[in-house]
């Protein structure tokens, strides 16, 4: 098993490689990551649908959602939240801030594109129509999720975003302690399950959850009660800022300060 100090050095190398990806490849891998996380989000909703005991429903969601991050890490896709750790090679003077910010921008957009594709498919082929899952109850849940996430207070969403990406980046971190696939998957699984169980907010997952409810409402004519502006300003903005804080500041900068500060490479 790699020690925390060894993981810090390994991630710096990984972050440098990510910063050097060609834009087209970076975008394509980001689209895939958005699709993977969206599928995890969709699956977690399906798993918990109709469970009368709220805590049990959360546990079932938490057991399914990590499949998305597993596909991201094993498949080599580019995920905005995990890439918050790319601040480490910047502080280590092995990657420029400009390249890292470019990566974040391209990957954020790519994640959104991939998530939108799955949200559209989920709304149109699984939540509505003659063969809708759970006889239309899934569609109601998707709408309620969008409304709930779009009516949060700014500080509430921001703090939940911080805690979420602290856990996501820790999942990436602990997975790098293992060298075998089984060890990596089992290590990343638990922090992701924890964030889902606690109801923290993940901006890439919300790139799926928010449009999915919108697409369902458009398909069925059901009232949504919130606008796209609400989705962006009351959820996506504070959650994204919180995710950056939790990933880049707490995890990335924190581990760099502890293990790499003053150690030139």
């Amino acid at each position: 098993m790699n020690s925390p100090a060894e993981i810090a050095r390994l991630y710096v190398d990984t972050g440098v490689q990510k910063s050097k990806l060609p834009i087209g490849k970076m975008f394509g891998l980001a689209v895939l990551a958005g699709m993977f996380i969206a599928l995890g989000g969709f699956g977690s909703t399906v798993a918990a649908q109709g469970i009368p005991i709220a805590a049990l429903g959360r546990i079932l969601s938490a057991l399914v959602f990590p499949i998305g991050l597993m596909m991201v890490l094993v498949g080599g896709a580019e995920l905005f939240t995990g890439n918050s750790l790319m601040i480490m090679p910047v502080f280590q003077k092995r990657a420029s801030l400009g390249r890292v910010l470019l990566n974040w921008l391209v990957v954020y957009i790519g994640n959104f594109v991939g998530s939108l594709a799955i949200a559209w498919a989920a709304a149109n082929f699984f939540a509505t129509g003659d063969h809708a899952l759970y006889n239309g109850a899934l569609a109601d849940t998707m709408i309620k999720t969008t409304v709930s996430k779009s009516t949060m207070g700014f500080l509430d969403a921001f703090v939940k975003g911080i805690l979420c990406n602290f856990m996501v980046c820790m999942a990436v971190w602990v997975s790098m302690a293992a060298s075998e696939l089984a060890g990596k998957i089992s290590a990343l699984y638990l922090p992701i399950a924890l964030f889902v169980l606690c109801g923290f907010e993940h901006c890439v997952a919300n790139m799926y959850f928010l449009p999915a409810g919108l697409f369902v409402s458009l398909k069925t004519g059901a009232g949504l009660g919130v606008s796209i502006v609400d989705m962006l300003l009351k959820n996506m903005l504070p959650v994204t800022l919180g995710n950056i804080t939790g990933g880049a500041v707490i995890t990335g900068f924190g581990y760099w300060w502890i293990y790499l500060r003053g150690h030139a490479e």
Side-chain angles (χ1 to χ4, degrees):
M1 185 181 80
N2 294 315
S3 70
E6 290 170 328
I7 295 171
R9 292 190 290 270
L10 282 171
Y11 192 84
V12 168
D13 293 338
T14 300
V16 170
Q17 294 172 5
K18 287 176 174 289
S19 72
K20 294 179 179 179
L21 283 173
I23 300 298
K25 184 175 183 179
M26 188 187 298
F27 181 78
L29 291 172
V31 171
L32 288 174
M35 296 175 73
F36 294 153
I37 296 298
L39 286 167
F42 178 56
S44 70
T45 303
V46 172
Q49 178 64 43
I51 303 298
I53 303 174
L56 180 57
R58 280 187 176 274
I59 291 171
L60 291 174
S61 290
L63 291 175
V64 173
F65 186 85
I67 296 171
L69 186 64
M70 180 275 290
M71 291 190 288
V72 169
L73 292 183
V74 178
E78 290 290 304
L79 182 66
F80 173 78
T81 45
N83 283 9
S84 296
L85 288 172
M86 288 177 66
I87 201 69
M88 294 180 71
V90 174
F91 284 117
Q92 202 62 8
K93 296 182 170 56
R94 291 192 53 199
S96 71
L97 179 60
R99 285 296 301 182
V100 169
L101 292 176
L102 177 63
N103 176 279
W104 287 358
L105 176 62
V106 172
V107 169
Y108 194 91
I109 295 171
N111 288 168
F112 220 143
V113 171
S115 298
L116 282 171
I118 300 301
W120 179 83
N124 285 276
F125 296 101
F126 299 99
T128 59
D130 294 336
H131 302 287
L133 292 176
Y134 302 108
N135 295 317
L138 181 63
D140 293 337
T141 297
M142 291 166 71
I143 289 176
K144 289 177 182 177
T145 298
T146 297
V147 173
S148 175
K149 287 179 176 290
S150 301
T151 52
M152 286 185 182
F154 192 97
L155 182 60
D156 186 15
F158 178 70
V159 172
K160 289 181 178 179
I162 292 174
L163 295 173
C164 172
N165 211 29
F166 181 29
M167 290 295 94
V168 171
C169 287
M170 283 308 304
V172 174
W173 187 271
V174 298
S175 73
M176 297 184 74
S179 57
E180 296 182 355
L181 179 59
K184 287 182 176 293
I185 293 175
S186 59
L188 71 85
Y189 204 94
L190 296 176
I192 301 301
L194 180 61
F195 106 63
V196 176
L197 184 64
C198 294
F200 301 153
E201 290 289 314
H202 187 271
C203 67
V204 180
N206 289 349
M207 292 174 186
Y208 159 76
F209 285 119
L210 296 173
L214 174 62
F215 290 150
V216 168
S217 72
L218 293 174
K219 179 79 171 181
T220 63
L224 192 59
V226 293
S227 66
I228 293 177
V229 173
D230 291 326
M231 297 178 200
L232 296 176
L233 296 185
K234 295 183 180 179
N235 187 282
M236 288 304 299
L237 176 60
V239 169
T240 299
L241 293 175
N243 287 169
I244 293 171
T245 304
V249 179
I250 296 178
T251 317
F253 176 75
Y255 272 121
W256 173 83
W257 179 271
I258 293 167
Y259 289 112
L260 297 175
R261 181 174 62 98
H263 297 278
E265 298 191 17

